[in-house]
């Protein structure tokens, strides 16, 4: 008989532990927006939104969130970290309208002895008093065992003594943090198995940190060992190296732990990640799994070719699950297949020779370290198709453009017209103006008139990311006829010169 997966509570602590990222501070309205998204779109089970007592701003944020949560039926999913401080945190919680406290207590003898400078019995008595008061005031109590991981390593008897005490208390959840992110997966498995087996009646959350880049792996082991809930943050934000990242942990659980399930909507993970990136100013590395800019982009031509033939480079980690799309990078490692995949996404088909030319152009740009994006492709194609139809009787062979302080820009130009070579030098108000003046001299010598330039427009392909290309579109008037030519290059003046060469071949 297949066993139905057990439900894991996901507690997101972006707004409390995540905000402990150095340099990050959310405004109350940003906190409210993120809290709403987490509970209504991402559908995490609980959110921790602040530490009590911290500041006026924090109080305002908690008040705004609890007001909304109460009206929306989410109040019992909104948690605040509190301290063993008599009635201070409890009062703060009550005034802020919060209902669930996550009481921070000491999970290692080392912390208890050296930070609080107290004996276990004294600590337990103070905790019992806070819990009693909180319960009397109608608050629900969860308890953190801060530094539990080191407690298990170095003072296990203290941890058992403490949990023996806690199981006598009206506590809903016991939260086991690897506060310094020092555990390796095998230890997480061993410690949580032992703890869960010893106290089967208690609910245990596991709270991982990422100091050794093991946050997600440790979450996986914690769940295998029987943890009932996990704490995660968007984009892995958090103090030092951060917490276990929500998106990675959910993807790993969904793909590798059929024995558990969560209520989290994968499809919302990318958009919430981007929103938090914007609000926090904390940039996501491009290679951050699931949410990073590059993680669904194939760069190598061979990979694009394999995907086209039989999705050979796909894995279960499909971008569409997270509201994203696979991309094929354009650059010097692109092959024809990369380009074809991009063209297919744009709905464009090209003949084999044109496809080769486009590929060649992209490789050349890539070699110059230029970044080409999908948005550049239509520009490159129209440039190449334009050139296909124009017979090259005029060719700009060489030029030197100068631009300096206090001297006028100047140009030395060598041009071949129907096989005849001309060389001219001229100055102008700008580099392109100097170029046109030199050109006029050549055509004057040939007793030929040049079209009049009536409009000159420069644009950068949309998309905002490309530093590769600039398109110049010039409108000409000649024999009472108006026509446009286009030039495309990474340099603006060169793109204008290319547009001009096209004009010279049309007259
Ligand atoms: C798991 C975690 O990440 S823990 C994160 C907890 N959250 C925070 O620390 C939020 C940010 N902190 C703050 O804003 C402040 O530290 C406050 C408001 C909580 C306290 O500020 P202050 O009164 O100025 O104290 P300060 O920060 O210097 O020191 C902390 C005090 O708390 C005590 N303390 C440490 N842990 C606890 C605890 N679990 N319960 C009660 N007191 C504690 C320390 O012993 C120290 O007390 P002492 O000054 O009597 O020695």
């Amino acid at each position: 008989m297949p066993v139905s997966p057990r439900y894991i509570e996901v507690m997101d602590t972006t707004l409390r532990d995540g905000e402990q990222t150095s340099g990050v501070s959310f405004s109350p309205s940003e906190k409210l927006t993120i809290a709403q998204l987490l509970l209504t779109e991402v559908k995490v089970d609980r959110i921790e939104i602040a530490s009590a007592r911290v500041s006026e701003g924090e109080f305002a944020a908690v008040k705004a969130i609890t007001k909304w949560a109460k009206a929306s039926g989410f109040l019992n999913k909104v948690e605040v970290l509190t301290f063993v401080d008599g009635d201070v945190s409890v009062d703060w919680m009550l005034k802020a309208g919060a209902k669930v406290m996550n009481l921070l207590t000491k999970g290692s003898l080392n912390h208890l002895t050296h930070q609080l400078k107290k004996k276990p019995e004294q600590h337990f008595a103070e905790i019992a008093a806070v819990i009693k008061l909180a319960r009397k005031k109608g608050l629900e109590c969860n308890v953190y065992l801060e530094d539990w991981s080191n407690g298990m390593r170095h003072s296990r008897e203290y941890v058992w003594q403490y949990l023996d005490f806690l199981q006598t208390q009206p506590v809903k959840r016991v939260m086991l943090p690897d506060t310094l992110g020092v555990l390796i997966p095998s230890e997480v498995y061993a410690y949580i198995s032992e703890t869960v087996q010893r106290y089967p009646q208690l609910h245990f959350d596991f709270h991982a940190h990422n100091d050794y880049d093991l946050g997600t792996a440790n979450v996986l082991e914690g769940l295998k060992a029987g943890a009932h809930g996990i704490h995660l943050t968007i984009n892995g934000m958090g103090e030092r190296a951060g917490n276990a990242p929500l998106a990675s942990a959910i993807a790993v659980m969904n793909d590798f732990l059929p024995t558990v399930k969560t209520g989290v909507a994968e499809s919302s993970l990318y958009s919430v990640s981007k929103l938090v990136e914007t609000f926090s100013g904390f940039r996501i590395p491009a290679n951050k799994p699931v949410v990073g800019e590059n993680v669904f982009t194939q760069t190598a031509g061979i990979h694009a070719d394999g995907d086209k033939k039989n999705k050979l480079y796909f894995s279960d980690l499909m971008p569409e699950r997270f509201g994203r799309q696979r991309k094929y990078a354009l650059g010097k490692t692109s092959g024809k297949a990369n380009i074809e995949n991009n063209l297919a996404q744009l709905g464009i088909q090209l003949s084999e020779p044109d496809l080769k030319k486009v590929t060649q152009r992209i490789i050349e740009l890539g070699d110059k370290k230029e970044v080409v994006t999908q948005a550049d492709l239509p520009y490159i194609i129209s440039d190449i198709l334009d050139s296909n139809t124009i017979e090259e009787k005029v060719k700009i062979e060489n030029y030197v453009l100068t631009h300096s302080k206090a001297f006028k820009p100047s140009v030395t130009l060598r041009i071949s017209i129907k096989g005849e070579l001309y060389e001219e030098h001229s100055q102008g108000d700008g580099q392109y103006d100097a170029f046109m003046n030199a050109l006029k001299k050549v055509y004057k010598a040939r007793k030929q008139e040049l079209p009049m330039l009536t409009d000159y427009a420069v644009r950068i392909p949309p998309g905002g990311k490309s530093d590769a290309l600039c398109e110049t579109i010039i409108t000409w008037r000649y024999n009472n006829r108006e026509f446009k030519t286009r030039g495309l290059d990474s340099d603006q003046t060169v793109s204008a010169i290319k547009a001009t060469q096209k004009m010279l071949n049309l007259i």
Side-chain angles (χ1 to χ4, degrees):
M1 270 273 287
V3 185
S4 55
R6 70 192 170 91
Y7 191 86
I8 298 299
E9 275 189 357
V10 174
M11 192 273 259
D12 181 284
T13 180
T14 306
L15 299 177
R16 197 279 295 172
D17 220 352
E19 203 187 21
Q20 286 173 217
T21 306
S22 177
V24 169
S25 173
F26 296 113
S27 70
S29 55
E30 286 170 342
K31 278 202 161 191
L32 176 62
T33 303
I34 296 170
Q36 289 169 332
L37 267 178
L38 280 167
L39 289 171
T40 61
E41 301 287 326
V42 184
K43 296 186 174 26
V44 298
D45 300 279
R46 300 146 44 204
I47 54 174
E48 189 178 47
I49 58 170
S51 292
R53 288 170 43 185
V54 166
S55 68
E56 290 290 315
E58 204 68 341
F59 184 77
V62 174
K63 227 172 157 179
I65 294 171
T66 55
K67 187 172 168 211
W68 165 79
K70 192 173 177 190
S72 318
F74 288 117
L75 195 54
N76 65 342
K77 293 171 180 268
V78 173
E79 305 177 357
V80 173
L81 182 140
T82 59
F83 306 96
V84 187
D85 54 5
D87 57 4
V88 182
S89 290
V90 172
D91 280 354
W92 196 96
M93 290 255 317
L94 292 170
K95 284 191 190 125
K99 283 280 173 203
V100 185
M101 67 149 55
N102 294 340
L103 184 62
L104 185 70
T105 70
K106 294 303 184 191
S108 74
L109 199 53
N110 194 30
H111 269 222
L112 179 64
T113 311
H114 297 289
Q115 192 171 36
L116 295 189
K117 303 190 184 340
K118 292 194 172 148
K119 296 272 179 249
E121 295 71 21
Q122 196 183 355
H123 192 39
F124 302 161
E126 288 174 1
I127 291 165
V130 172
I131 292 173
K132 192 171 170 196
L133 176 68
R135 294 297 297 149
K136 197 172 140 204
K137 301 282 183 187
L139 303 183
E140 189 172 285
C141 296
N142 302 320
V143 174
Y144 269 113
L145 269 65
E146 194 184 9
D147 202 35
W148 163 81
S149 36
N150 277 318
M152 288 299 281
R153 266 187 191 161
H154 306 298
S155 54
R156 202 167 304 184
E157 276 318 305
Y158 165 74
V159 175
W160 299 150
Q161 190 190 352
Y162 183 21
L163 288 175
D164 287 347
F165 153 73
L166 266 189
Q167 59 179 348
T168 67
Q169 296 295 306
V171 161
K172 185 146 185 192
R173 301 176 189 91
V174 178
M175 302 156 141
L176 307 176
D178 179 13
T179 301
L180 297 176
V182 290
L183 296 184
I184 59 170
S186 55
E187 272 180 299
V188 172
Y189 186 85
Y191 296 163
I192 292 194
S193 301
E194 200 178 344
T195 309
V196 167
Q197 278 161 28
R198 213 176 151 110
Y199 300 95
Q201 71 284 28
L202 291 179
H203 168 114
F204 290 105
D205 279 357
F206 176 57
H207 178 114
H209 274 273
N210 208 26
D211 295 69
Y212 285 94
D213 221 351
L214 288 171
T216 305
N218 284 345
V219 164
L220 186 68
E221 290 308 296
L223 290 172
K224 279 189 198 159
H228 309 99
I230 45 171
H231 297 184
L232 304 167
T233 60
I234 297 166
N235 300 336
M237 290 174 71
E239 209 155 327
R240 305 182 312 277
N243 292 51
L246 175 72
S248 308
I250 294 297
V252 166
M253 285 162 67
N254 287 344
D255 290 355
F256 299 104
L257 264 190
T259 52
V260 306
K261 64 177 179 188
T262 72
V264 172
E266 278 190 339
S267 57
S268 63
L269 291 172
Y270 179 62
S271 52
V272 76
S273 149
K274 293 308 274 183
L275 183 90
V276 168
E277 181 183 38
T278 309
F279 282 180
S280 62
F282 181 68
R283 296 282 157 243
I284 314 168
N287 63 351
K288 180 112 187 139
V290 183
V291 293
E293 201 50 41
N294 289 351
V295 298
F296 295 114
T297 302
Q298 304 279 44
T299 311
I302 301 286
H303 297 168
D305 173 66
D307 280 355
K308 210 171 115 243
K309 286 176 177 154
N310 198 20
K311 302 184 166 82
L312 293 180
Y313 295 86
F314 281 25
S315 75
D316 287 341
L317 205 59
M318 294 292 282
E320 291 75 14
R321 282 171 51 183
F322 310 99
R324 304 195 62 186
Q325 209 193 7
R326 188 171 306 279
K327 290 186 188 161
Y328 294 92
L330 298 166
K332 70 174 173 184
T333 57
S334 302
K336 263 187 317 178
N338 277 53
I339 319 284
E340 273 178 312
N341 279 324
N342 275 285
L343 291 173
Q345 284 175 357
L346 293 170
I348 300 173
Q349 271 191 336
L350 283 184
S351 69
E352 190 65 20
D354 285 342
L355 182 63
K356 268 196 185 144
K357 283 185 198 161
V358 172
T359 309
Q360 197 47 44
R361 175 74 72 89
I362 287 166
I363 291 170
E364 282 162 18
L365 286 164
D367 240 355
K368 286 200 263 168
K369 282 186 180 271
E370 308 284 7
V371 179
V372 184
T373 70
Q374 198 181 69
D376 295 326
L377 268 180
Y379 292 78
I380 295 175
I381 292 165
S382 88
D383 188 48
I384 284 171
L385 297 186
D386 252 12
S387 312
N388 281 353
T389 55
I390 298 174
E391 187 203 345
E392 247 193 19
K393 51 187 197 257
V394 182
K395 194 163 177 222
I396 291 159
E397 301 282 357
N398 312 90
Y399 49 80
V400 180
L401 304 168
T402 67
H403 186 92
S404 53
K405 193 176 170 188
F407 294 107
K408 277 192 141 190
S410 68
V411 164
T412 302
L413 167 72
R414 187 182 293 146
I415 181 170
S416 73
I417 305 173
K418 293 181 184 161
E420 265 182 70
L421 262 188
Y422 297 84
E423 197 168 308
E424 273 300 346
H425 178 82
S426 193
Q427 290 184 322
D429 292 334
Q431 286 185 325
Y432 182 66
D433 188 47
F435 170 83
M436 284 306 285
N437 289 341
L439 198 61
K440 278 176 197 157
K441 283 187 184 173
V442 172
Y443 274 73
K444 198 169 174 195
R446 285 176 55 86
K447 302 197 180 354
Q448 204 181 338
E449 212 183 307
L450 277 177
M452 195 168 74
L453 190 157
T454 59
D455 191 42
Y456 179 103
V458 179
R459 59 181 183 173
I460 290 167
K465 292 197 183 106
S466 173
D467 61 355
L469 296 171
C470 160
E471 186 185 56
T472 303
I473 303 165
I474 305 179
T475 311
W476 310 95
R477 175 162 277 284
Y478 191 60
N479 292 341
N480 287 329
R481 179 174 72 95
E482 215 166 60
F483 65 99
K484 289 180 197 301
T485 57
R486 249 194 300 238
L488 193 69
D489 199 88
S490 49
D491 181 278
Q492 188 187 317
T493 311
V494 176
S495 72
I497 291 174
K498 283 182 174 174
T500 309
Q501 175 171 289
K502 280 185 192 163
M503 171 275 285
L504 296 173
N505 281 291
L506 287 170
I507 58 172

